[in-house]
Amino acid sequence: MTMRDQISDANLPAHIARQIEACEALLPTVDLRHRVIAERSLLALRDAQAEADEGDLSGARLTLMLGMGELLSAAIEAQAVQSMRRLHAARAA
């Protein structure tokens, strides 16, 4: 199943808005290095929203995928850093 099958054209702007909210919620939880990645994601998601608002749904979908890839990367890396910190703290204890 493709992204186009999962998200109808009518629902695309709302989906993008939810992704922007998720990204904004993530920003305060990540360290500086991952924050830069998350901010790039947020910029891409806002670009996707602008493209959808202009009626360029194909462009919006592509930009959404790029933004989500950045967001996923930031979330995975932040989780890995937190896990490593907990591991090092447990070893030190």
Side-chain angles (χ1 to χ4, degrees), residues 23 26-27 30 34-43 71 74:
C23 189
L26 176 68
L27 283 175
V30 296
H34 299 106
R35 184 177 178 87
V36 170
I37 297 168
E39 286 174 348
R40 281 197 322 247
S41 174
L42 184 58
L43 289 174
L71 182 58

Side-chain angles (χ1 to χ4, degrees), residues 1-7:
M1 180 175 283
T2 67
M3 187 168 120
R4 179 174 288 278
D5 296 331
Q6 297 172 8
I7 304 168

